[in-house]
Amino acid sequence: MEFLSDASLYLLAAVVAVPIAKRLGLGSVLGYLLAGIVIGPVLGLVGAETKEVKHFAEFGVVMMLFLVGLELRPAMLWRMRTKLLGLGGLQVVGTTLLLFGVALAFELPWRSALAVAMVLALSSTAIVLQTLEEKGWMKAPAGQSAFSVLLFQDIAVIPMLALMPLLAVGSGAHGEAAGHHGGGLEGLPAWLQTLAILGVIAAIILAGRFLMRPTFRFIAESRLREIFTAAALLLVVGIALAMDRVGLSPALGTFLAGVVLSGSEYRHELESDIAPFKGLLLGLFFISVGAGIDFELLFGQPVRIFGAALALMVVKLVILLLLARSFGLRGKVRWLFALALAQAGEFAFVLFGFAEGAGVLAPAVTQILTLVVAITMLLTPLLFILYEKLIAPRSDDETERDADEIDEQGTAVVTGVGRFGEVVSRMLITNGYRVVVLDHDPALIDLWRQIGLKTYYGDATRPDLLHAAGADEARLFVAALDDRERQTLLVEHVARHHPNCRIIARAVDRHHVYELEQAGAHQVVQELFEAATSAGRLALIELGTHPFKAERQARSFRQHDRGMLESLRERWLEGGVDRSYIDVARARAGELFDLMKADRAAERHDSTERGWVPPPKDDARLGIETPDQEVEGA
């Protein structure tokens, strides 16, 4: 009964405080923290048990890393490589180095200084992502850049967890975590411990690749959702337990499992099943953090603690502004990016506890730093309010406007009215079809309205806007956004929520074709391929090739590229752009040289005194292939 009483108290605090905080525009994370402060230091309804609750709720962080791993498909990592490694890497390394120097200046030992600097370089994934989603900024350039940095930080947590016990080595510390290193393998020879660790990691990877799919398929066929949810929880808990037994971070194990399962067809089901547990546990974690704030210590040294919190945010803000500028973010986008990431993150509570257990940080230092981190998180909603009320209205950037009200539905929905979507829309409309056209560029919308093409302003990735546009009843959906990642997400959403709608998607390049096929597109068109092939044919004619021969060369080139698209698909799906992919691409490129050379040789052989070589009878279709035919069946 005591457990039920405590659970009721925590849930009641969350149910009351979080909606109020959200209504006030403070965000749910701040609501959880305030709920913990009220039932802890203010009312005294909870006490010493908050440490145990926090320890239990830390499993929410393990679940969050599993979900992060599920999102990390190789293709996605490749697309985000510049911002992920450049922006994210420079932020973590630059902030760590600067804070390391500051910590040394305050006479911390170098091991403690490095631990503090690494931890404080991280930002709050939970606060930032949730706020960006709530405000509708996630798909904006600032939101995408912030997500890249947070993703790098989430990955960086894993080596940080591994580094903490190493920092304790040689420091004379024999803390709890240092003693824990080795888990259930204590007493075994070092070589046997290493073998067991490698075996567990290999088992996770192999099971995720070869065992999980048939297992989840078997469970899914029972059509019992609760059993699938139980299996998803068992997977995460089992992996965490196995990693704990061999003395490694449970977060590392679940992250690896998430990456291995990122290409699985059950990825979305796993995400939807795990996410509520992750959210509740993280909420409980934040409540326990709020309940554990030592107000006596805070009010005993207010200048020191608040000063440290403000100084930390200023340092991180300056670094983020400089990085944003160097990566091409301007105006209010740059400010939103920097203000969103200026706080310390929730991983600090975990890492500080781990560092204290390992003996890297003294308990007194950890208590003060925990307060500093909590204050930066409490101040973050104020930074978003500062941005909304003062910075964004004064910015010279393009003013956002509300989405248009869509008052019609059509046979087809076209998203994106740029140089690609505009042609498709005009062809459909002039052939008598009712088409609803959406775009997010107000200038383009106004231009096409003046010309007579009725279009609607709005973010096509919004589910409510797609519903209003009639995606539920439409026969055809044309995805023609020029943003590669948003285009893939849009196709994925339409394929999942509007399964009766045929999808034609515009691809940027060959890899994007594969991504859109995986997302659910029925037909994929490489946007510039046909235009480039036609330009190549004209170039051959200008250089002296007979028009018929040039057409035949262009046709051979097109057919060969179609075959190359097919042959590289399997390699790309298996391992992205790895060695085998490069080998196949190189071999196919060599075949193209041979093919063109053979065609030229045939041309010389056929080149007689005749001025014109008529096309054979079976070449009646020459020159009338359409872009759709180019990838049909791809």
Side-chain angles (χ1 to χ4, degrees):
M1 293 302 292
E2 186 178 353
F3 168 76
L4 292 179
S5 175
D6 290 342
S8 299
L9 181 59
Y10 279 95
L11 290 173
L12 178 63
V15 168
V16 172
V18 173
I20 293 176
K22 287 202 68 174
R23 183 64 64 90
L24 295 175
L26 302 178
S28 60
V29 176
L30 189 55
Y32 285 121
L33 290 169
L34 292 175
I37 292 173
V38 170
I39 65 174
V42 175
L43 299 179
L45 299 177
V46 295
E49 77 278 5
T50 54
K51 284 190 176 180
E52 296 179 7
V53 172
K54 190 165 80 172
H55 184 66
F56 169 73
E58 284 173 1
F59 199 73
V61 179
V62 174
M63 287 186 166
M64 186 163 70
L65 276 176
F66 176 70
L67 296 178
V68 169
L70 281 177
E71 295 292 337
L72 289 181
R73 285 174 292 179
M76 182 179 178
L77 281 176
W78 183 252
R79 287 200 308 273
M80 297 174 61
R81 61 190 183 281
T82 302
K83 286 185 177 177
L84 185 65
L85 299 177
L87 198 54
L90 287 174
Q91 187 275 327
V92 172
V93 174
T95 307
T96 298
L97 290 176
L98 188 56
L99 294 178
F100 178 62
V102 173
L104 288 178
F106 280 89
E107 299 182 349
L108 276 179
W110 75 266
R111 292 182 176 87
S112 302
L114 181 57
V116 170
M118 287 191 304
V119 175
L120 294 182
L122 305 178
S123 303
S124 173
T125 301
I127 290 180
V128 178
L129 290 189
Q130 191 149 337
T131 305
L132 292 177
E133 288 284 357
E134 291 173 357
K135 303 285 185 183
W137 296 331
M138 194 63 219
K139 305 297 181 187
Q144 291 292 296
S145 300
F147 176 73
S148 299
V149 173
L150 291 170
L151 189 57
F152 184 90
Q153 293 181 355
D154 289 343
I155 297 171
V157 168
I158 295 168
M160 288 182 187
L161 283 169
L163 189 59
M164 289 298 176
L166 298 179
L167 289 176
V169 174
S171 66
H174 298 285
E176 177 186 343
H180 177 71
H181 191 65
L185 304 179
E186 291 179 8
L188 295 178
W191 66 270
L192 197 54
Q193 289 191 24
T194 304
L195 198 62
I197 291 171
L198 293 177
V200 169
I201 294 176
I204 291 173
I205 295 174
L206 293 175
R209 191 168 181 82
F210 299 108
L211 187 61
M212 286 299 104
R213 284 188 177 183
T215 302
F216 281 123
R217 187 181 304 117
F218 173 75
I219 296 171
E221 286 173 355
S222 68
R223 300 184 182 281
L224 294 172
R225 185 174 179 82
E226 66 274 17
I227 298 301
F228 193 93
T229 303
L233 286 174
L234 177 63
L235 172 69
V236 177
V237 174
I239 291 172
L241 187 61
M243 294 296 281
D244 187 66
R245 290 292 184 189
V246 296
L248 290 182
S249 161
L252 171 62
T254 53
F255 174 78
L256 281 176
V259 173
V260 174
L261 291 171
S262 63
S264 166
E265 60 271 32
Y266 299 101
R267 176 169 67 96
H268 297 298
E269 283 296 320
L270 290 170
E271 285 179 344
S272 62
D273 286 342
I274 295 294
F277 295 98
K278 182 264 297 181
L280 277 176
L281 285 174
L282 282 180
L284 187 60
F285 178 74
F286 291 133
I287 292 177
S288 64
V289 169
I293 290 179
D294 188 345
F295 275 85
E296 186 176 348
L297 176 62
L298 177 61
F299 293 129
Q301 309 177 53
V303 176
R304 182 183 183 189
I305 294 173
F306 276 104
L310 292 175
L312 173 64
M313 297 186 80
V314 170
V315 168
K316 296 185 75 171
L317 182 67
V318 171
I319 292 175
L320 288 163
L321 285 172
L322 293 174
L323 287 174
R325 186 176 186 82
S326 64
F327 277 79
L329 301 182
R330 297 288 185 270
K332 65 179 183 181
V333 175
R334 181 161 60 110
W335 278 103
L336 177 57
F337 166 78
L339 290 170
L341 299 172
Q343 77 292 122
E346 58 274 1
F347 278 116
F349 302 125
V350 179
L351 291 169
F352 280 147
F354 200 75
E356 182 183 332
V360 180
L361 292 177
V365 175
T366 304
Q367 288 177 354
I368 292 176
L369 290 175
T370 300
L371 282 175
V372 169
V373 171
I375 290 171
T376 63
M377 294 172 73
L378 286 167
L379 292 176
T380 298
L382 301 180
L383 296 183
F384 282 113
I385 293 173
L386 174 70
Y387 168 80
E388 286 185 293
K389 302 297 183 185
L390 294 179
I391 297 176
R394 296 166 187 263
S395 172
D396 294 332
D397 291 353
E398 188 177 72
T399 304
E400 293 288 337
R401 74 183 202 191
D402 294 332
D404 291 336
E405 183 177 349
I406 301 175
D407 55 5
E408 64 175 346
Q409 295 187 348
T411 308
V413 177
V414 177
T415 54
V417 71
R419 61 186 187 277
F420 187 98
E422 175 258 338
V423 173
V424 178
S425 301
R426 284 199 294 124
M427 286 188 67
L428 292 175
I429 291 172
T430 53
N431 278 278
Y433 291 101
R434 290 183 295 113
V435 181
V436 177
V437 184
L438 300 172
D439 201 285
H440 198 238
D441 186 341
L444 208 54
I445 293 288
D446 294 336
L447 173 65
W448 287 115
R449 281 181 176 175
Q450 291 174 18
I451 294 175
L453 181 63
K454 188 175 182 181
T455 54
Y456 295 94
Y457 175 82
D459 183 357
T461 58
R462 281 175 45 187
D464 59 333
L465 206 61
L466 291 177
H467 177 73
D472 293 321
E473 305 298 330
R475 291 167 49 196
L476 178 67
F477 187 92
V478 180
L481 301 183
D482 56 6
D483 184 307
R484 179 186 185 127
E485 189 163 346
R486 292 179 68 230
Q487 169 86 337
T488 306
L489 292 173
L490 174 64
V491 169
E492 193 172 12
H493 173 83
V494 174
R496 190 188 310 168
H497 296 282
H498 308 284
N500 297 323
C501 194
R502 298 283 296 177
I503 302 173
I504 297 176
R506 159 197 186 182
V508 176
D509 54 27
R510 184 180 293 124
H511 295 169
H512 200 202
V513 171
Y514 302 143
E515 294 167 15
L516 291 169
E517 287 174 350
Q518 280 199 312
H522 300 96
Q523 299 278 356
V524 184
V525 179
Q526 282 183 256
E527 59 181 1
L528 297 178
F529 183 81
E530 278 298 318
T533 308
S534 297
R537 179 177 60 81
L538 293 173
L540 290 174
I541 294 172
E542 289 293 330
L543 292 173
T545 303
H546 190 280
F548 173 71
K549 293 292 185 185
E551 181 64 42
R552 194 168 71 177
Q553 296 290 81
R555 186 181 187 190
S556 297
F557 186 92
R558 189 182 294 112
Q559 289 176 336
H560 180 273
D561 193 85
R562 189 182 307 160
M564 193 169 182
L565 184 76
E566 294 288 341
S567 59
L568 288 176
R569 178 183 288 106
E570 186 178 349
R571 304 290 180 184
W572 186 86
L573 292 175
E574 286 181 355
V577 186
D578 59 8
R579 188 65 200 174
S580 63
Y581 180 98
I582 297 295
D583 289 341
V584 173
R586 183 176 295 172
R588 295 290 298 185
E591 291 174 9
L592 181 61
F593 274 104
D594 295 337
L595 178 65
M596 294 291 110
K597 185 177 180 180
D599 281 354
R600 289 198 303 273
E603 179 184 359
R604 284 194 296 271
H605 178 74
D606 292 338
S607 181
T608 63
E609 53 280 357
R610 291 185 300 163
W612 166 256
V613 181
K617 292 180 181 179
D618 60 348
D619 271 350
R621 291 172 60 251
L622 275 175
I624 60 172
E625 284 190 320
T626 66
D628 289 0
Q629 290 170 323
E630 179 256 327
V631 294
E632 193 168 7

